[in-house]
Amino acid sequence: KPHVLRPRDPEMYRSRFEELTEIWLRMRSGYRMQARARLLQLLGDYLAESQARRVDPGAYSRTLPAKRMIEERYAEPITLAQLAKACGMCEGSFRRAFAAVYNQSPVAYLLNLRVERAKEMLLIGLSLEDAAQRTGFSDVNYFIRYFRKVTGTTPGRFRQMY
């Protein structure tokens, strides 16, 4: 059975992982035991959330063509109607099924994927305009606003940090 989980609070997982990393890097007395305890706590929370939110394998397989289409054509304009048609569903049913599986709307999934690809492009030295255009954002200002909404920082600052 496929296992798909998009955490309800990814920031919580990120902060716990950062705590774990900090404990490991400090290498103070008992750090291995502390790190192990944090890791087990993190895995326990993940498993508890995954058990509470089991994904219907039928919904997963029905929405998989749309997910693949988004991942292959993220830089192109894609409509909800095209995605629903690829899955053989009406728009409303598709939107509900997709959100149930991935815990976000198809549009949010597409935009978040674009931001992830833009991060990669920024890190290899592409300009903001090129990264925005190559990832399907037609408006650079919207790209900057959405990038900041998702990452908490602007694309320029992101590039400086990494």
Side-chain angles (χ1 to χ4, degrees):
K1 288 184 178 180
H3 175 78
V4 177
L5 177 69
R6 179 159 175 89
R8 292 188 191 282
D9 186 9
E11 191 56 42
M12 183 266 301
Y13 286 100
R14 186 175 296 117
S15 68
R16 286 195 178 170
F17 188 76
E18 287 171 359
E19 289 173 12
L20 169 65
T21 305
E22 186 179 324
I23 289 169
W24 188 261
L25 293 176
R26 271 190 279 148
M27 298 180 115
R28 298 237 165 84
S29 171
Y31 78 97
R32 286 184 187 206
M33 189 179 303
Q34 290 175 14
R36 186 176 182 180
R38 292 292 168 107
L39 180 60
L40 290 173
Q41 182 184 24
L42 186 66
L43 290 172
D45 289 344
Y46 180 81
L47 290 173
E49 186 173 349
S50 69
Q51 290 296 334
R53 256 195 98 243
R54 288 210 171 233
V55 172
D56 172 24
Y60 175 78
S61 62
R62 285 192 311 271
T63 59
L64 194 55
K67 180 180 179 275
R68 287 186 179 141
M69 180 186 281
I70 290 170
E71 290 172 352
E72 291 169 2
R73 298 175 38 195
Y74 66 89
E76 302 171 20
I78 302 173
T79 66
L80 190 62
Q82 290 173 313
L83 296 171
K85 184 178 179 183
C87 297
M89 302 169 78
C90 72
E91 288 182 35
S93 296
F94 167 70
R95 192 179 320 112
R96 283 187 298 278
F98 195 94
V101 173
Y102 300 102
N103 201 28
Q104 60 183 326
S105 72
V107 173
Y109 186 87
L110 171 62
L111 291 172
N112 291 333
L113 179 63
R114 286 177 174 175
V115 167
E116 290 304 313
R117 296 296 189 265
K119 285 180 185 179
E120 296 167 7
M121 292 178 188
L122 290 169
L123 292 177
I124 62 170
L126 281 164
S127 69
L128 293 178
E129 293 80 12
D130 286 343
Q133 184 181 20
R134 290 184 186 193
T135 55
F137 287 97
S138 56
D139 180 12
V140 176
N141 291 323
Y142 178 66
F143 166 66
I144 293 169
R145 282 193 317 272
Y146 197 81
F147 189 97
R148 185 174 184 183
K149 177 184 174 185
V150 171
T151 65
T153 188
T154 63
R157 244 187 239 134
F158 174 81
R159 188 188 331 221
Q160 289 172 350
M161 291 182 346
Y162 301 99

